Amino acid sequence: MSVSPQGRRALPAWQRLEQLRQPVWASRHLSDVWAEEGEARATRLSLRQNGLLLDYSKQRLDHDVLTDLFQLARECSLEKAIQHLLSGSQVNQSEGRPALHSALRLPGTSRLLIDGEDVVPAVHASLARVRSIVERIHARQWRGVTGLPITDVVSIGVGGSDLGPFLVTNALGEFAPAAAQQLKLHFVSSIDGTQIADLLDTLRPATTLFVVASKSFTTIDTLSNAETALTWMLARIPDRERVLRHHVIGVSASPAKMTEYGIPESNQIAFWDWVGGRFSLWSAIGLPIALKLGMKGFEQLLAGAHAMDRHFGETPLEQNLPVLMGLLMVWNSTFLGINAQAILPYDARLKLFPAYLTQLEMESNGKSVDRHGQPLDYDTCPVLWGDVGSNAQHAFYQLLHQGTQAVACDFIAPIARYQREDEAGSALQTQHLLSLSNCFAQARVLMLGDACLSESDQAAASVSQEPGHKHYRGNQPSTTLLLDALTPYSLGQLIALYEHKVYVASVIWNINPFDQWGVELGKKIAGTTYAAMSKDGSLDSFDPSTRMLLRAVHK
Ligand code: F6P
């Protein structure tokens, strides 16, 4: 069915979903839903797939809503849109290019023709460059200018050139091979200089290697951190050419800009315009990942993501994990008006996953115009945030349980955790079970509220007429995603799952998830503000509020 640019609301399934929302789901409590549907709901609304278990039975929906969500997906031609994405069509219309992150995890034996050219050999050639650099560093053959092997690698990047590698290397440290364990990996991203200033104090120039990662190689945050690093190096080793050859690697989609910067070709790894920044951890941007996990670990991560790509491309909508998760987000945000989404991993290894997802989801789908630039008249991406669930219980869960906002939650946890035989093993296993119990308990209380007390406790509470501050209203929807275990492979699946979920929601919302025009104006205005700030120049063109702040700095 062809849909006019503004036509989502006119679709029959959209209209039925509007009706189901009002009056049914505006007031229906999950405890009543469970009372009506019973045990079967848990089986019906959960899905097992290749080591992942998705429980969406705690979402505020039923069979009718689901049927119409899948129908809506069909009316929005989702199946075709998935094939367009995976086959390299120009799904990023405003920048006139495909979004081919899935090509980065294709096995070497595959073929994918874009404009008549197979991109797979180039992808694997780039991986081979990553491999050769990683092997040299691990074998202590990459030497600094004084001939010493590298002990510290500093990854300088921001946004998509930082968050993915930072997440994965943090999460999977226990999978580091022996050769990687002797190498210290650091991440620097913030423009204010704090991170690099603190770090430089701990480093030895002769044994430090900087990886400057920037798709555009124009991002001021990254370039200013790189400049500080280089200045520090040159003060100790005053030979720019040799420092750049021995101590700097560039990763970018712009080889020309890396060359202009002075990075020798042998130290450049290029990737392509058709890799979106926030989808780039699978490319050479993943160099720190390969340094941490070894090439084998990096390849397992890619294999997990590729398995998710295949699942996404080959599975009917009703059993398709990213499709389900995308539709759930649309139902919650657009139809139920739930504009907040918490990401709650019950495993501190995934501490950085919420931060990673804030970029992936909000930079992709935080849009208010459709693919053709026309304003939308429905809500799109919710505000997303999160933290390790058990820590967040002691911080912001109060609002989840008793605040005035509806919040959708994603609980994420591995089923198996420790396999240690040492004296701490059984105590740690107890901690893991405590963590999982908290995860399940929170999802349950958020769903049922007071109704999860036993009948006698409920009776006692009502007899004593508990005041409002001891009341839990429940009805907060959540999804629980269990991984058999957290490994490079399953983390690859998990990240690709969210990437595709973002795409699914964008197709239903009719927006382009692959551009980010919203961040451009701020960069431009920061440039003119910096000029006014540093030159003591005229402030006439500024608004009074900003002028007042600038004057405070001038003083
Ligand atoms: O400003 C936003 C953004 O362009 C992101 O999309 C991107 O991941 C980040 O900046 C870093 O960009 P680059 O990799 O080009 O330095």
Side-chain angles (χ1 to χ4, degrees):
M1 178 181 294
S2 88
V3 178
S4 68
Q6 299 248 54
R8 290 299 195 242
R9 272 185 186 279
L11 293 171
W14 188 292
Q15 294 188 351
R16 281 196 304 279
L17 286 164
E18 292 265 22
Q19 280 160 19
L20 282 171
R21 172 178 70 92
Q22 276 306 355
V24 185
W25 286 98
S27 56
R28 201 169 184 200
H29 198 287
L30 276 165
S31 57
D32 298 328
V33 177
W34 278 97
E36 282 160 34
E37 294 190 16
E39 193 76 29
R41 182 177 165 92
T43 327
R44 225 173 24 240
L45 302 189
S46 60
L47 196 58
R48 235 190 186 291
Q49 206 279 324
N50 192 15
L52 304 177
L53 169 62
L54 182 81
D55 166 27
Y56 57 106
S57 66
K58 299 180 181 73
Q59 290 288 342
R60 284 169 55 185
L61 44 68
D62 64 1
H63 178 73
D64 290 347
V65 172
L66 265 180
T67 306
D68 282 328
L69 283 172
F70 288 119
Q71 182 54 28
L72 177 61
R74 293 197 164 91
E75 289 173 11
C76 295
S77 307
L78 177 62
E79 285 147 314
K80 216 190 279 173
I82 294 173
Q83 297 317 317
H84 283 162
L85 173 77
L86 299 177
S87 63
S89 298
Q90 293 217 349
V91 288
N92 180 354
Q93 299 91 348
S94 75
E95 296 176 319
R97 56 193 185 216
L100 268 179
H101 38 286
S102 54
L104 300 171
R105 42 239 193 181
L106 281 172
T109 48
S110 316
R111 271 166 70 78
L112 182 63
L113 296 180
I114 305 297
D115 295 334
E117 198 185 320
D118 185 3
V119 297
V120 178
V123 165
H124 281 265
S126 180
L127 279 174
R129 269 177 86 71
V130 171
R131 175 190 300 278
S132 111
I133 289 174
V134 167
E135 285 176 354
R136 277 171 66 201
I137 295 172
H138 281 177
R140 300 166 74 80
Q141 286 165 358
W142 185 298
R143 301 283 165 134
V145 285
T146 63
L148 290 172
I150 298 302
T151 57
D152 292 78
V153 175
V154 182
S155 173
I156 303 180
V158 73
S161 299
D162 168 70
L163 290 165
F166 195 22
L167 158 71
V168 176
T169 52
N170 249 276
L172 299 177
E174 69 201 59
F175 294 89
Q181 282 167 16
Q182 57 195 352
L183 197 68
K184 286 200 218 93
L185 200 53
H186 314 271
F187 288 85
V188 166
S189 57
S190 78
I191 199 170
D192 65 290
T194 306
Q195 294 167 324
I196 188 96
D198 291 351
L199 184 60
L200 291 178
D201 290 341
T202 70
L203 298 174
R204 283 178 68 199
T207 59
T208 299
L209 179 68
F210 294 97
V211 176
V212 183
S214 172
K215 179 180 171 184
S216 60
F217 229 76
T218 59
T219 305
I220 185 70
D221 315 54
T222 300
L223 295 183
S224 61
N225 274 316
E227 204 46 44
T228 301
L230 210 54
T231 309
W232 173 83
M233 285 294 270
L234 291 172
R236 287 145 184 92
I237 310 168
D239 183 337
R240 187 178 170 91
E241 193 271 323
R242 290 185 73 217
V243 163
L244 283 163
R245 184 143 37 87
H246 290 269
H247 295 273
V248 180
I249 290 176
V251 183
S252 176
S254 176
K257 292 221 166 59
M258 291 193 277
T259 303
E260 204 178 295
Y261 193 86
I263 299 175
E265 217 176 295
S266 55
N267 290 15
Q268 299 178 7
I269 323 183
F271 61 104
W272 312 270
D273 251 5
W274 43 257
V275 181
R278 53 192 170 275
F279 300 88
S280 64
L281 73 91
W282 324 98
S283 71
I285 289 288
L287 173 64
I289 300 176
L291 283 170
K292 184 78 183 183
L293 304 183
M295 252 347 248
K296 213 163 143 213
F298 190 36
E299 281 162 1
Q300 284 165 2
L301 185 87
L302 296 174
H306 176 63
M308 185 54 70
D309 296 336
R310 292 197 59 180
H311 168 76
F312 186 46
E314 295 168 9
T315 312
L317 299 185
E318 281 76 2
Q319 283 86 49
N320 194 309
L321 290 177
V323 169
L324 259 167
M325 287 183 63
L327 293 176
L328 292 173
M329 176 164 264
V330 171
W331 170 243
N332 282 329
S333 174
T334 308
F335 291 94
L336 295 185
I338 301 176
N339 299 128
Q341 169 79 55
I343 305 295
L344 306 163
Y346 273 73
D347 187 320
R349 292 173 296 177
L350 291 174
K351 180 172 177 52
L352 299 175
F353 195 47
Y356 174 80
L357 287 186
T358 56
Q359 187 196 19
L360 181 62
E361 301 246 15
M362 296 202 280
E363 200 174 67
S364 299
N365 283 340
K367 315 267 166 79
S368 53
V369 295
D370 71 12
R371 292 171 188 282
H372 308 274
Q374 298 302 313
L376 299 173
D377 56 356
Y378 42 82
D379 280 338
T380 58
C381 187
V383 174
L384 194 122
W385 92 109
D387 200 352
V388 175
S390 54
N391 292 359
Q393 286 176 207
H394 303 280
F396 60 73
Y397 272 42
Q398 166 65 36
L399 179 145
L400 303 184
H401 289 296
Q402 293 185 321
T404 55
Q405 307 290 334
V407 180
C409 299
D410 280 4
F411 293 95
I412 303 166
I415 296 175
R417 173 71 171 98
Y418 298 103
Q419 274 159 9
R420 292 168 56 139
E421 311 249 305
D422 62 5
E423 61 287 352
S426 80
L428 284 169
Q429 176 60 10
T430 302
Q431 286 197 256
H432 172 56
L433 295 183
L434 280 170
S435 171
L436 271 184
S437 309
N438 273 276
C439 175
F440 296 175
Q442 292 294 333
R444 189 163 171 243
V445 176
L446 286 170
M447 168 174 70
L448 297 175
D450 294 332
C452 66
L453 292 169
S454 68
E455 275 180 21
S456 58
D457 283 347
Q458 282 187 51
S462 77
V463 167
S464 67
Q465 293 194 319
E466 292 283 18
H469 55 256
K470 292 195 178 170
H471 174 65
Y472 298 81
R473 69 169 186 281
N475 220 23
Q476 294 275 43
S478 72
T479 292
T480 302
L481 184 62
L482 297 182
L483 286 57
D484 279 353
L486 183 66
T487 61
Y489 184 90
S490 71
L491 186 56
Q493 288 177 288
L494 180 70
I495 297 171
L497 168 59
Y498 274 88
E499 285 180 346
H500 293 324
K501 167 236 173 155
V502 162
Y503 181 64
V504 168
S506 81
V507 171
I508 309 297
W509 286 325
N510 200 21
I511 58 187
N512 176 3
F514 300 118
D515 61 14
Q516 57 283 320
W517 297 102
V519 302
E520 293 307 321
L521 182 59
K523 292 182 191 172
K524 194 167 154 195
I525 300 299
T528 51
T529 311
Y530 177 69
M533 193 178 283
S534 31
K535 275 196 285 174
D536 228 2
S538 163
L539 304 185
D540 293 350
S541 62
F542 290 87
D543 60 275
S545 171
T546 309
R547 212 160 33 229
M548 183 266 292
L549 297 174
L550 284 167
R551 284 202 185 105
V553 176
H554 278 174
K555 267 189 203 140

